[in-house]
Amino acid sequence: MEARSPRPGRTAVLAAVGAHVPSIVVTNDDLAARLDTSDEWITSRTGIRTRHVAEPGRSTSDLAIAAGTAALRAAGPDASIDTVVLATSTPDRLVPATAPAVAAGLGLAGVAAFDVDAVCSGFVYGLAVANGLIAAGTARQVLLIGADTFSAIVDPADRTTAPLFGDGAGAVVLRAGEAGEPGALLAVELGSDGALADLITVRDGWFAMQGQAVYRQAVTRMAGAARDVLARTGWQPEDVDAFVSHQANLRILRAVGADLGIDAERVHANVTDVGNTVAASIPLALAHAHAAGRLRAGDRVLLSAFGGGTTWGAATLVWPELS
Ligand code: ACO
């Protein structure tokens, strides 16, 4: 999918980022105290040391509102959001969608609001949707939030999945702008293969996955989507200053980087601190890297994701000057 728009003022441009992680922190030692596992096993296989878990009574919409509030604050008083897109696979309820409640919670009742579900690829799918709405002239300012509370669907007694996930939310404001300006979405690539739906699923109420097959697919698909989007953008892997991919686990991030020829210093990772936060993963990583001063204006940024469905996607942009 080519994200470039020939029409003036009709490209999605990144204008602000925001993030929220809940206050409860679960360490590997906390998990080892109640499961047959160890800090050594989890760290060596996944790179994850801590993850955050939603406080009792808080759900995906609460986390999304907190991240949305942070992004709106960063966007400044002139922000005028007309659309809220929530990427999530753990909505508060099956019906209705969670985005309208998030919009109302942000004081934005009346704007268009809907959910996008592409599991761990949800944020990249959301970017494409927001860009399409802006290109069509339907939207001028989109608040795109990725938020998930996998603690609600991960069996706390399952040592094969419990260490992997954390709860969180990340948000971006995308405004209508010009294709050539910093922050403009340059290209987006999306894909899916429903024949592999059973690799990542929910069975009997609990999350289930085929770990090794997911690992192989994640590396192959994220690297493939990244190559395609780089080709569309006209960049080589050596042109990329920051590779911010879905934070599934550290080994996957490094393997994709190595496959693409992007060295470890340019591969951004916050999975160590927050685990796999599903649709929140990329915007959280962007917000954390921005807050830490690790993303600078002018950096050429490559995003990629793989998730349940199976789904995958990648996108490119030049990092803008952000507050
Ligand atoms: N602690 C100790 N032992 C464990 C644990 C644990 N937490 N979990 C599994 N084991 C055991 C298994 O029971 C198995 O024991 P056995 O040999 O006696 O049967 C052994 O360790 C090896 O299990 P594998 O599943 O083969 O372990 P693997 O080396 O594949 O690592 C992992 C598992 C980390 C999940 C790996 O497959 C992986 O990274 N997969 C990618 C999946 C992922 O990150 N998914 C995230 C969600 S989807 C997404 O974001 C795209």
Side-chain angles (χ1 to χ4, degrees), residues 56-314:
R58 289 186 88 208
S59 60
T60 294
S61 62
D62 298 304
L63 274 49
I65 289 168
T69 301
L72 292 178
R73 197 180 303 127
D78 295 338
S80 176
I81 302 297
D82 53 40
T83 306
V84 173
V85 180
L86 176 66
T88 188
S89 51
T90 47
D92 287 6
R93 294 180 277 176
L94 276 179
V95 175
T98 303
V102 172
L106 289 165
L108 296 171
V111 307
F114 58 94
D115 294 358
V116 168
D117 181 0
V119 198
C120 298
S121 311
F123 182 76
V124 177
Y125 268 71
L127 279 179
V129 168
N131 194 52
L133 288 169
I134 288 171
T138 308
R140 302 283 304 164
Q141 270 192 39
V142 180
L143 176 63
L144 168 61
I145 307 172
D148 270 300
T149 44
F150 259 46
S151 61
I153 59 167
V154 168
D155 181 353
D158 180 359
R159 69 172 183 173
T160 69
T161 54
L164 303 177
F165 295 94
D167 299 337
V172 297
V173 173
L174 298 159
R175 62 168 173 80
E178 307 303 329
E181 63 178 306
L185 210 54
L186 298 174
V188 186
E189 203 44 54
L190 303 175
S192 79
D193 184 359
L196 299 178
D198 285 344
L199 288 192
I200 298 167
T201 187
V202 172
R203 249 180 239 121
D204 302 326
W206 296 124
F207 176 86
M209 70 167 183
Q210 298 172 31
Q212 295 191 0
V214 169
Y215 187 101
R216 285 192 297 275
Q217 283 291 320
V219 174
T220 306
R221 291 303 189 183
M222 283 205 277
R227 270 197 190 88
D228 290 346
V229 88
L230 287 176
R232 282 176 186 273
T233 310
W235 292 352
Q236 300 297 323
E238 55 269 29
D239 297 328
V240 173
D241 297 304
F243 178 39
V244 185
S245 84
H246 167 53
Q247 307 280 310
N249 78 45
L250 204 53
R251 283 161 65 217
I252 292 179
L253 299 189
R254 289 192 176 146
V256 176
D259 191 298
L260 291 170
I262 297 176
D263 48 76
E265 295 84 78
R266 292 182 286 153
V267 177
H268 285 248
N270 67 342
V271 65
T272 307
D273 303 326
V274 299
N276 180 350
T277 57
V278 193
S281 162
I282 290 178
L284 256 184
L286 289 174
H288 286 170
H290 173 64
R294 292 198 60 217
L295 281 171
R296 286 174 297 273
D299 279 355
R300 284 157 296 192
V301 179
L302 169 66
L303 312 177
S304 79
F306 174 81
T310 57
T311 55
W312 57 87

